[in-house]
Amino acid sequence: MDRRKVLIAGVAALAVARLSGALAQTPGKVPVVGYLSAASRNEAFTRALRQGLADLGYVEGRTIVIEERYAVGEPSRFHELIDDLLSHNVAVFITGGAIVTQTVLKRTTRVPIVVIAIADPSQLAGAIASLARPGGTVTGFASVSHDLHVKQLELLREIVPGLSLVAVLARPTASTAGQVGRANLERDRANLERAARTLGITIRRVDLTTAERVGPLLQAARDDGARALLVERDFVIESMRDDVVRAARAARLPAAYEQRAFVEAGGLLSYGTSFTDLYRRAATYVDKILKGSKPGDLPIEQPTKFELVINLKAAQVLGIVIPQSVLLRADQVIE
């Protein structure tokens, strides 16, 4: 092939590439993923999702678009945010938790949903036929939080010598989905009470209503004799993450959380499901659905990774020493 033909071929190839790129960026041609969370933005979660999609070859803005919406602990905003996402012609919803998922299903049963971190898949009874074969428009990942607070309590007991009274920060009306969700919560609370009695520890629940109240509530718990704090997973509490961490530190209460984001914000320790792992894995389900798989054929997957994260700076501020036996079990130590 002479130079002129090579040049023409190169120009033609460049034109095709530019045309393909233009088509990929044409509105309506690029699949839109709508991510809806009941809490506030968690950079680690969205970063893990984006990394998972990038690993599969997606280029944000060119071959995929991610629209994020956050209710920041206000369920009354769900409908507005869902309608906004639907106006962007989302191809797949990613939802954080059962309540958000239930609300999306009330607005549309057409768009596939990948739900992340439902404490118990039975919370979506009616939308999911079985874990192995959901059967409808919903699939995703469970977070299985059963007995995590028991393990957190055991960790606090190792860290705080002579621990006898632990406050549990909770919501008076927990943000759980329906009767099943409430039943699971009550079961987990009962398990914690039994474990505490075995360890010789008294549990005292502290009900949180607004962010303005968290400081006085935790200080009152400290004044009443509490020497450590457990924080229940709840999207309203998650939206108050910084306030909760500051209040625990001010009340000098070593606190255990389920999500590492609290530790990254200055909390003492977290033990629970690796949510970043779930968000990274969610990208594979988004990819399969965009390529034609039906969500009802994709099994609800269980968590495979749990992590213990400890913040040594927080320990120093609280004036406590983390035993080496605990540090050796940590997946990450923040110094």
Side-chain angles (χ1 to χ4, degrees), residues 62-208:
R62 293 185 61 190
T63 60
I64 199 164
V65 171
I66 303 173
E67 291 285 345
E68 303 174 37
R69 299 293 183 273
Y70 299 90
V72 195
E74 297 181 20
S76 60
R77 298 192 60 207
F78 287 173
H79 290 294
E80 165 200 345
L81 297 175
I82 292 167
D83 287 346
D84 183 27
L85 288 171
L86 287 172
S87 73
H88 286 78
N89 295 317
V90 293
V92 182
F93 270 107
I94 296 178
T95 56
I99 290 181
V100 179
T101 305
Q102 287 180 340
T103 310
V104 172
L105 287 169
K106 291 177 182 177
R107 307 301 275 187
T108 178
T109 55
R110 177 182 56 83
V111 182
I113 300 171
V114 177
V115 57
I116 299 176
I118 46 175
D120 191 322
S122 60
Q123 290 177 279
L124 290 173
I128 295 174
S130 70
L131 298 183
R133 194 176 178 84
T137 58
V138 180
T139 186
F141 302 83
S143 62
V144 189
S145 59
H146 309 322
D147 295 334
L148 288 180
H149 287 315
V150 173
K151 296 183 184 296
Q152 293 162 4
L153 182 65
E154 292 169 349
L155 286 165
L156 287 173
R157 185 171 179 264
E158 289 185 67
I159 291 170
V160 183
L163 183 62
S164 61
L165 179 61
V166 174
V168 177
L169 187 65
R171 292 273 294 157
T173 304
S175 306
T176 54
Q179 287 184 321
V180 172
R182 286 190 291 273
N184 289 335
L185 179 63
E186 291 304 321
R187 179 199 56 211
D188 292 343
R189 287 175 175 174
N191 289 344
L192 178 61
E193 289 279 359
R194 282 193 296 272
R197 285 195 297 271
T198 300
L199 296 171
I201 295 173
T202 300
I203 296 296
R204 180 167 299 165
R205 206 174 84 175
V206 178
D207 286 335
L208 175 63

Side-chain angles (χ1 to χ4, degrees), residues 46-64:
T46 56
R47 185 169 59 246
L49 173 64
R50 284 179 161 85
Q51 185 59 56
L53 289 168
D55 290 344
L56 292 167
Y58 289 93
V59 179
E60 191 170 357
R62 293 185 61 190
T63 60
I64 199 164

Side-chain angles (χ1 to χ4, degrees), residues 6 8 17 24-25 29 34 38 42 97 115 146 153 168 171 187 197 206 231 236 240 247 255-256 266 282 307:
V6 170
I8 292 172
Q25 298 180 61
K29 299 293 183 180
N42 186 311
V115 57
H146 309 322
L153 182 65
V168 177
R171 292 273 294 157
R187 179 199 56 211
R197 285 195 297 271
V206 178
V231 179
V236 175
M240 301 177 182
E307 59 183 4

